[in-house]
Each structure stands twice: as C-alpha cells, then as structure tokens.
Amino acid sequence: MRSVRAGREVAFIALNDGSCLASLQVVAEAGMAGFDEVCRLGTGSAVVVHGVLRPSPAAGQAVELAAERVEVIGPADDAYPLQKKRHSFEYLRTVAHLRPRTNTFGAVFRLRSSLAQAVHRFFAERGFLYVQTPIITANDCEGAGELFRVTVLDPDQPPRCNGKVDFGADFFGQPTGLTVSGQLEGELFAQAFTDIYTFGPTFRAENSNTARHAAEFWMIEPEMAFADLMDDARLAEEFFRYLCRHVLEDCAEDMAFFDAQIEKGLLERVRTVAETSFEVMEYSEAIGHLEKAPVSFQFPVSWGLDLQSEHERYITERVVGGPVFLINYPKDIKAFYMRLNDDGRTVAAMDLLVPKVGEIIGGSQREERLDLLTGRMAGVGIDPASLWWYLETRRWGSTPHAGFGLGFERLIMYLSGMENIRDVIPFPRTPRHAEF
RNA sequence: UCCCCAAUAGCUCAGUCGGUAGAGCGGGUGGCUGUUAACCACCAUGUCCCUGGUUCGAGUCCGGGUUGGGGAGCCA
C-alpha cells in the first residue's frame, strides 16, 4: 500500500505490487465490513483486496477496484521509514531493504531487469554463445592491487614460508582473487565458438569514492573471432542503439517517469542516440581538435597523453554533437593485449563517447600474433608464464579477433538519468559499505 | 588516496551580529459525499553528529574526530 485517502463515506487505497509504476486505485465504501480499520492502515501495509474491477468515474485512472473485502496481511505502523513524499537518495540508501518499494527504485530495478533480458536477446538473435567466465581467478595480470583476495587461510596465523604467507597451503594452492574481467577467458571461447559474450559480476578493490564506481558491478563483454576493429565498432553501435530502442518501447511508462522526475530531456536524448548513426574519429584527429579548442582545459592535451573526462565530453558534445568512436590510441596508454597497428605507435583500440557521460564502451582488436604479444607483455612487465594458456591460443589456430566491454550500471545510469551508481544497484558495495 | 562541502524534529530544510529552537512534509486528534503523494482545523515533536577549546554565554567561532555528499585520480 502506497497511501490511503479516507473520507467519511469512501476511502481510496493506492495499491502497488511492483509490476509497474502505476498503482491500482482501490475504492472502499463506508458500508464495507472493516471500513474503519482500512481507513487507519498506514503506508507500507500489505493487503489482499477482493472486489470488482470497473471503469473509474474520475480522471487519473481508467479502471479501479471496488472493494468487497480487504484482508490485512501485514500491517505497517507509523514507524515505517518510507513516507508518501519525496525522500533524498542519500536517506534511501540507508534503508536499501525498503527502497525498492518507492516509485523511483521500482522504475530503476524494472529497467535493470528488462535491460538484462534485452542484452541476452540481442546476442541470442545473432548466434552469440553465452559463456560464464569464472568469478574466482588466479589471473592477476591486470594489477594485483585492485584484486579482492580469496583465501581460506587463518588471517591471524597464516602458514608462512621464508617469512611470507604460504599461499601454496591455501585452498587453490596459489593466490586467488575475485575476477576483474572475463575478457581473457572470453577470448579463449571466441577461438572455439567464434562469437561469444560474457555477462556477469566483476570486482574491484580500488578505493574509489565516486558516483560512478562500485566494488561489485556487472559487465557485458562480447568477443568475435575473424573480426577487426571496425567489425567491433559496428557491433557496439548496433548493440547500444538496440538497447536505447528497447527501453523506449518496452519500458515506456518508467522512461516517462525518469524524463519527468529524474532528468528533463532524457527521452529526447535517448531517442536521438537510437536514431543517429555514430561517427568515427582517429585519436590523432581528436587531439588536433582539442589543441585548437577555444576553451581552457584543466588537464593538458598533447599526442601521447590519455584523454580526461573533460576532453571526451568536449569531443562528443562540442565537436561531434553526438556519439562518436575514438580509435587508434597510442600504445603506451592502452592495455598490452590490444593489437599493434602498422604505424608501430598506435593500437587498434576504440572508445565509444556519448554526450553527458563521455566514455561508455571500451574495446579493441586483440593482438593475435604471438611474437608481438609476448613482446608487449615483456614491455609492461607481465610474466608470460603466468598467462601461458592465453598465449597458447596464439600458438595454434590464432585468428584476428575483437571485443568490447560495457559496464551494465553505467548503461542503466545513461538510460535512466540516475546520477549515482549506488542507486542503480539493488544492494551496492562500495568502500566501507556491504550492509544488506 | 587527494581536494572541497555538509551534519539542526521521523523526513526535507531555515536559523540574521554569538544571546538559550523554527517552517513544510510526515505523525496524532477531529472534520469532510469520489480522492489522485486529497483537503481544512488543532496538537506534540529536539543528545542542534561526537569531542576539546575560546567566551559571561556557542546550533552559530576555532582544533580534532566520525559519518554523508560532490569533484579528481583509477577505471567500467
């Protein structure tokens, strides 16, 4: 129950089961048994109503339920923390066990569910194999500092060997942690199934305190064999625009709510992306635009430096005025697995930049040539022995392949207008927060 | 991790020059013949985040801490 409006002769209950934003109007008349009790029910109560659905004589709803009997299943007293008024998102985070009962969080989590199903449908329609990559991994190639350690050793008295903790005595016989990405395993599967995708939780122990970072979040990572960077960009564009169209069509009521209550102009923004084809721009060209820009940036711009958020937004908002792929970044600012271009100084990387948020998708063509890959790993200090299985795919039947990653929460934020990642995750995990 | 801001009633907030606490919403009570986060009247809200200091006197000024938020870095 969202609210009760009681008069002497008639009472109205706004009843919501979470299936959609709109509540059902229940009408109870004074002659009904238990009418007085119904009038005293508080927001948050659970009831079962028996009655007749009929056209509503008043504006505001097409139909209403004329109650014949109201069963109070679970009453709620006046200490119920949610009132029939607007609360701050900060406050609602402290009652995350109850906030899905609000209009905004109802809309957010319906959108999240619908989007997850649309992601699977998109790839299923295109014959992609869905692979569940491991949550626990011994793969520390992306930097052990940000990995959550997984261990069964006694933290007070771990076994030691030469003064160091002996992970050889641990459950897996080696140091393990929670995965930071399923990409490397996804690449292995692409060499068998051609087109695959992962969609699952990932973890970062980074002490990030921002509205866009969480310690536990979900990522979508497709990988295609026999594909180059432009194939990758085409898939990313098709995927992103598919999801925009999906929420406009299948979540229309909730999207209208976001447009009215969360971000004015959201519908127009999402429609534009759904209808516009994306541009492609070389990193070098972007640097040229930024160097000539008639605005002053906080961070410096020159060839070889990574782009900051302010630069990305300038390119997509001011130069292009829409979504744009930036491609072919300097190799020194990108990951070791990205394919070296023929110029020898850039790699086949792409970032999709969109107005308002900047980068939303990052991807690349992968280095399929064994000698160049081992060379890059040596250059950045990664021991090839630790990734022997990854390298073996380059030894036998190696194909050109490419893929990208999309942070699921950032997609939801983009499509809902919600500005804090803590408010698009049912029970968010951030530094010092693992309640609920 | 760094920088900045904030913390006052259940919630959202105001609180002037340092002089002993306010509003709206919510709640309670009553009223109301169909409401739309109903409306009208009345009633009660309190460890002013904690701690130390300055002062005759601190919600207000200063130091330390805690918690929350914004930004940056890292990135998704």
Side-chain angles (χ1 to χ4, degrees):
Chain A
M1 268 181 46
R2 292 295 172 80
S3 72
V4 182
R5 298 181 293 276
R8 197 169 64 181
E9 301 290 330
V10 64
F12 299 92
I13 301 171
L15 192 60
N16 191 290
D17 67 357
S19 57
C20 61
L21 182 71
S23 293
L24 175 65
Q25 170 156 286
V26 174
V27 186
E29 298 197 1
M32 189 192 74
F35 178 77
D36 292 343
E37 189 193 2
V38 166
C39 292
R40 284 194 300 273
L41 283 172
T43 297
S45 303
V47 297
V48 169
V49 181
H50 304 263
V52 176
L53 196 68
R54 67 185 184 196
S56 177
Q61 58 281 317
V63 295
E64 62 187 19
L65 186 64
E68 291 164 355
R69 188 158 57 89
V70 176
E71 283 180 60
V72 179
I73 303 297
D77 63 26
D78 58 21
Y80 183 61
L82 300 179
Q83 301 172 3
K84 47 183 178 181
K85 64 164 213 166
R86 188 175 179 85
H87 292 283
S88 69
F89 291 144
E90 291 84 353
Y91 170 68
L92 290 170
R93 279 171 217 149
T94 69
V95 289
H97 56 310
L98 300 171
R99 68 178 185 170
R101 305 184 188 187
T102 64
N103 285 339
T104 298
F105 287 94
V108 165
F109 295 125
R110 276 188 298 273
L111 185 79
R112 183 174 175 121
S113 170
S114 182
L115 271 170
Q117 292 171 340
V119 166
H120 286 298
R121 196 173 314 124
F122 174 87
F123 287 116
E125 285 169 0
R126 285 156 185 78
F128 280 59
L129 180 107
Y130 174 38
V131 53
Q132 292 91 8
T133 52
I135 307 294
I136 300 172
T137 177
N139 165 11
D140 62 351
C141 69
E142 302 215 16
E146 61 186 15
L147 220 64
F148 281 103
R149 179 72 72 205
V150 172
T151 180
V152 296
L153 297 180
D154 180 353
D156 294 322
Q157 300 218 305
R160 292 183 179 277
C161 180
N162 299 326
K164 291 185 164 184
V165 174
D166 179 17
F167 286 104
D170 204 348
F171 188 91
F172 295 106
Q174 61 182 313
T176 51
L178 298 179
T179 183
V180 298
S181 165
Q183 181 198 311
L184 299 188
E185 287 93 348
E187 286 187 51
L188 314 186
F189 262 51
Q191 296 306 309
F193 298 94
T194 307
D195 294 333
I196 66 94
Y197 71 106
T198 71
F199 183 13
T202 51
F203 307 87
R204 305 282 165 89
E206 202 68 45
N207 186 17
S208 293
N209 294 287
T210 83
R212 284 168 197 77
H213 294 83
E216 177 179 324
F217 62 99
W218 282 56
M219 255 205 305
I220 300 147
E221 296 177 291
E223 194 73 35
M224 297 177 291
F226 304 101
D228 63 15
L229 188 67
M230 286 301 102
D231 295 324
D232 202 27
R234 269 190 293 277
L235 181 75
E237 174 174 345
E238 205 180 331
F239 181 51
F240 197 73
R241 292 174 64 187
Y242 178 96
L243 296 172
C244 289
R245 284 196 304 277
H246 172 79
V247 295
L248 290 170
E249 291 166 11
D250 282 24
C251 307
E253 185 189 28
D254 289 326
M255 290 300 287
F257 172 83
F258 293 132
D259 188 65
Q261 300 293 328
I262 304 297
E263 181 196 336
K264 308 283 183 226
L266 170 75
L267 284 173
E268 187 55 38
R269 178 163 63 73
V270 175
R271 274 193 205 108
T272 301
V273 172
E275 291 162 7
T276 315
S277 64
F278 301 174
E279 292 197 21
V280 177
M281 182 185 292
E282 294 272 340
Y283 166 89
S284 299
E285 184 187 346
I287 293 295
H289 284 294
L290 292 167
E291 285 174 337
K292 289 182 299 189
V295 297
S296 64
F297 295 115
Q298 191 185 342
F299 289 90
V301 173
S302 75
W303 201 99
L305 295 183
D306 207 355
L307 301 182
Q308 302 293 325
S309 295
E310 57 177 352
H311 306 139
E312 294 177 340
R313 292 190 55 175
Y314 179 85
I315 294 293
T316 179
E317 291 170 6
R318 306 283 297 279
V319 177
V320 176
V324 56
F325 287 104
L326 281 196
I327 61 168
N328 296 333
Y329 283 71
K331 66 176 166 61
D332 292 335
I333 59 173
K334 289 292 183 183
F336 75 91
Y337 50 72
M338 296 186 179
R339 190 179 195 276
L340 189 67
N341 287 323
D342 291 344
D343 62 15
R345 60 175 199 159
T346 63
V347 289
M350 61 159 204
D351 285 349
L352 176 61
L353 311 182
V354 291
K356 186 172 189 266
V357 300
E359 179 187 342
I360 193 154
I361 285 178
S364 67
Q365 184 174 345
R366 321 304 190 186
E367 183 57 79
E368 84 281 13
R369 298 161 296 188
L370 182 60
D371 53 335
L372 287 166
L373 184 56
T374 51
R376 281 301 302 286
M377 289 172 71
V380 296
I382 295 173
D383 178 12
S386 69
L387 287 178
W388 62 272
W389 42 271
Y390 184 68
L391 292 171
E392 283 200 349
T393 58
R394 272 64 171 174
R395 188 172 157 196
W396 300 303
S398 185
T399 69
H401 60 291
F404 63 81
L406 169 63
F408 189 47
E409 284 76 12
R410 291 191 180 172
L411 173 73
I412 298 166
M413 290 165 73
Y414 184 80
L415 294 177
S416 66
M418 297 293 289
E419 293 190 335
N420 196 309
I421 196 166
R422 300 172 182 93
D423 298 328
V424 300
I425 299 176
F427 302 101
R429 272 77 179 98
T430 54
R432 299 180 309 281
H433 294 277
E435 196 87 67
F436 307 107

